[in-house]
Amino acid sequence: MRKLITPSSVPDKVRVGSTDYSNAVRANELLIAGYDASSTNNKPKLKFPGYGTESIKEIIRLLANGCCGYCGQRVQGIETVVVEHFRPKAKLLFQASPFSPYKVKDPVLNRGRVVTCEYGYFEFGDDLRNMIPACSA
């Protein structure tokens, strides 16, 4: 993996602590609060507006000097940069333990079992520090 460069100026949509960023996290928290995994299969789709525009994708592309964060291949301006995340924003699988940051019913009895968290690190979905520019290959 390539070393990523932190840009000097960051748009509000991907700057932690900004109003745009906080509003997006809050909207996703409301979607999750209304979701009951045991009663429905209609899992709400979270919204991550932070990296949807080409201007922000250009900033993400520059994090690795215009190259793919994994293979180092140059990502040309015409190509659409694929945005990957260090911490997954969707489903997360982890082993239950009393020290887990996620609430698990009876962590002592479930110790060692793989537990599913339907929404991983969703609060970092629009955080520029959690994004990796990648090629489509």
Side-chain angles (χ1 to χ4, degrees):
M1 181 172 298
R2 298 179 60 91
K3 180 177 180 179
L4 302 181
I5 302 166
T6 305
S8 56
S9 66
V10 178
D12 283 347
K13 284 187 175 182
V14 292
R15 192 180 73 227
V16 177
S18 70
T19 304
D20 290 345
Y21 184 89
S22 299
N23 288 342
V25 170
R26 213 169 298 121
N28 285 335
E29 286 173 344
L30 290 173
L31 284 173
I32 292 171
Y35 173 65
D36 181 13
S38 63
S39 67
T40 181
N41 291 333
N42 297 328
K43 179 179 168 183
K45 182 150 177 66
L46 301 183
K47 296 172 181 69
F48 299 100
Y51 55 95
T53 63
E54 282 301 316
S55 61
I56 294 178
K57 283 187 177 183
E58 181 63 31
I59 293 170
I60 295 168
R61 187 179 294 123
L62 294 175
L63 291 175
N65 286 327
C67 297
C68 172
Y70 294 112
C71 69
Q73 178 181 351
R74 179 131 328 257
V75 179
Q76 301 299 326
I78 296 172
E79 296 176 36
T80 303
V81 67
V82 178
V83 178
E84 295 291 337
H85 294 82
F86 286 111
R87 293 179 173 165
K89 62 184 190 328
K91 187 180 278 190
L92 179 65
L93 302 174
F94 63 96
Q95 280 194 327
S97 83
F99 307 107
S100 173
Y102 291 97
K103 292 183 172 127
V104 177
K105 289 181 183 175
D106 203 351
V108 175
L109 288 177
N110 287 316
R111 184 175 295 150
R113 292 186 185 164
V114 175
V115 180
T116 302
C117 175
E118 291 297 324
Y119 298 101
Y121 298 96
F122 75 91
E123 62 272 8
F124 298 115
D126 279 336
D127 188 348
L128 193 64
R129 297 171 297 181
N130 190 38
M131 298 181 195
I132 307 167
C135 62
S136 55

